[in-house]
Amino acid sequence: MDRAWWAKVLMIVGITAIATWYLIPTFFYFKLPADVRNDTEVLQKALPSWAPSAKHKLNLGLDLQGGIHLVMRVDVDKALRTKTETRTEQIKSTLKDKNIAGAEAKALPDDLRVQLTFNNADSAKSAEKIISDYYQDMHVASGTDTTVLLAFNDQDIKRAKTDAVDQAVKTIRNRVDQFGVAEPEISKRGSDSISIELPGLKDPERVKDLIGQTAQLQFKIVDDDNTEAQNLFSDVQLPPGVTLCARSNHCANAENVPFLQGPDRKVLKELTQGKAPEGDEIALEKQESPGQAPTYRTYLLKSKTEATGENLIDAHAALDQTGGGRPYVSFEWNPLGAQDFERLTENNIRHRMAIILDDQVMSAPVIQSKISAHGQITLGSNKDYNALLAEAQDLSLVLKSGALPAPVTIGEERTVGASLGEELISRGWKSCALGILLVVIFMALYYKLTGVIADLALVLNALLVLAVMALFNSTLSLPGIAGFVLTLGIAVDANVLINERIREETRAGRTPRGAVEQGYGRAFWTIFDAHVTSLIAGFVLRQYGTGPVRGFATTLIIGILASLFTSIVVTRVCVDYLLKNVFAKKISV
């Protein structure tokens, strides 16, 4: 045999060895109990030291191993209202920096507009020029000599909605990654929904809690110096269970500003509606004590957000060594965030700073000194240690993965049982094995020795498909199994075409070598064209399909490429070897 033939043999042997090596993690994956096999660390410990990393394994889809399917709806209108309020603050700051005297900015979030009021017409005209230069996504909707009504451009509103959903997809993906879920499927559905498939997870409540948190971290100053707030709730008719704590009624825990306490968050929200003085707002804190039901209290806060979690670079759960090992969340700022936080704390020493997460006050410590890069969030206490630690870990994951641009709600929830998955796996693999067995028997009987060669190529084809899927940590679903069986059929079809061509050339009186040369030569472009056509279809399905369709397309693409290799290269190497020995006088086809 010549050197080219030996080179092909070495290549085939090498590829086969590598493919087998990459299937080792998948072999151990299926040996592990179903409830721990998705834990990458457990799988890594079970692998031999010489095996590939545990991340190179074949995963099972939601339909094969059970899991959670959610459809989350993004409140894009809320995102736009928040954008309007944020823009109002930005415009205020810009006009102040540009020395536009007497400018007042008021957000009209329901109309997505900002209303500006000025002392004179010249200031209004100057402000219009500044805003057109700095905020090109807004335009003047209407106005008078001393007022300007700004509105967002229609195309920018449309883009903002799209960006809100895209950002939500990215944030949810980051949070889901914290679960260590193998191959989660997260994709946009329509204009405001996100489809989430989490194979292997069985606790939908924890998933919803972690994914659904808006995680908008804000820092605001508690307005303890507001002298106008001494009678803040004096005219409120307190329902049963709600108490007013103020110095006027000799409350033992009275503060400079009166506050309400009660067991019902909704009731307190209704009582405090519209009570905050101008420039202030009222927020609630959930208070928990061991052995008691949680209660809520009010805080009077300055409306201005002094800092947000936008510049947060790290957050992790830690234990307070001075507080009996109580879990808390420690966080760290980037240089820009540290600069803002340092300014905030330096200017408000001896004042209370409210740490607000998702519109709820987490704590309100007194600023004792200037703080720059590091901070912490303490948690409620009416939980045992493990629950507190889990809450601290989840909160740190949420903060690290970023904030959702708008609240999300559950639109659809479906849990796939593990027993159903196992049944589907069994049926799927049985049908696959039966199909392959029938094909192998037919090829061996009908094409004799060349049929056996085609069977060997078929087995190698299956090995390569599974190995490549494992290499890229792909997910195998029921449609994926269908795609796998289909590619085996395509591989067989290519060998049938080659063998039939060889038969025709043999009947035409050619020598065995001549028949093989003509058979492979004439069948090549037919096989190539058919495979390329199927490849194009596979890429289109993968590009525009979702969920199971993408799984089917992925398996199809890998299988077609493997089929080209095994049907044209592998079988030819085997036939060339037999031509020197067994097929020297007569080819068995």
Side-chain angles (χ1 to χ4, degrees), residues 91-92 95-96 99-105 116-119 123 127:
I91 290 175
K92 278 184 185 175
L95 295 180
K96 183 179 179 182
N99 297 318
I100 304 298
E104 296 289 340
L116 304 180
T117 307
F118 303 92
N119 290 335
S123 295

Side-chain angles (χ1 to χ4, degrees), residues 95 100 118 120-132 140 144-148:
L95 295 180
I100 304 298
F118 303 92
N120 54 67
D122 291 339
S123 295
K125 289 183 179 178
S126 300
E128 284 188 31
K129 176 69 171 56
I130 292 170
I131 289 167
S132 65
V140 177
T144 63
D145 288 344
T146 57
T147 62
V148 176

Side-chain angles (χ1 to χ4, degrees), residues 21-75:
W21 185 63
Y22 266 112
L23 284 175
I24 292 173
T26 301
F27 174 76
F28 281 87
Y29 171 82
F30 284 104
K31 284 186 66 178
L32 289 173
D35 56 338
V36 298
R37 64 173 53 148
N38 288 308
D39 189 327
T40 305
E41 292 185 3
V42 173
L43 178 59
Q44 187 66 57
K45 290 178 181 177
L47 290 174
S49 58
W50 46 267
S53 168
K55 66 181 181 181
H56 298 302
K57 68 180 186 302
L58 192 61
N59 302 295
L60 296 179
L62 186 70
D63 50 357
L64 294 182
Q65 65 167 322
I68 299 169
H69 171 82
L70 296 173
V71 175
M72 312 287 290
R73 303 201 190 285
V74 183
D75 188 350

Side-chain angles (χ1 to χ4, degrees), residues 1 10 272 292 316 359 370 377 384 418 465 529 548 563 575 584:
M1 305 302 293
L10 289 176
T272 57
Q292 298 182 14
H316 61 271
D359 295 328
K370 183 173 66 177
I377 300 174
D384 60 31
V465 172
D529 290 347
S563 172
V575 171

Side-chain angles (χ1 to χ4, degrees), residues 362-418:
M362 302 300 294
S363 63
V366 177
I367 301 173
Q368 301 291 352
S369 61
K370 183 173 66 177
I371 305 172
S372 58
H374 297 85
Q376 70 179 52
I377 300 174
T378 56
L379 305 173
S381 58
N382 193 25
K383 296 179 180 177
D384 60 31
Y385 173 82
N386 290 330
L388 274 177
L389 183 59
E391 183 179 344
Q393 290 171 337
D394 284 353
L395 180 56
S396 64
L397 294 179
V398 169
L399 292 175
K400 276 195 294 187
S401 58
L404 283 171
V408 293
T409 56
I410 305 295
E412 179 184 339
E413 175 188 344
R414 182 158 48 90
T415 303
V416 179

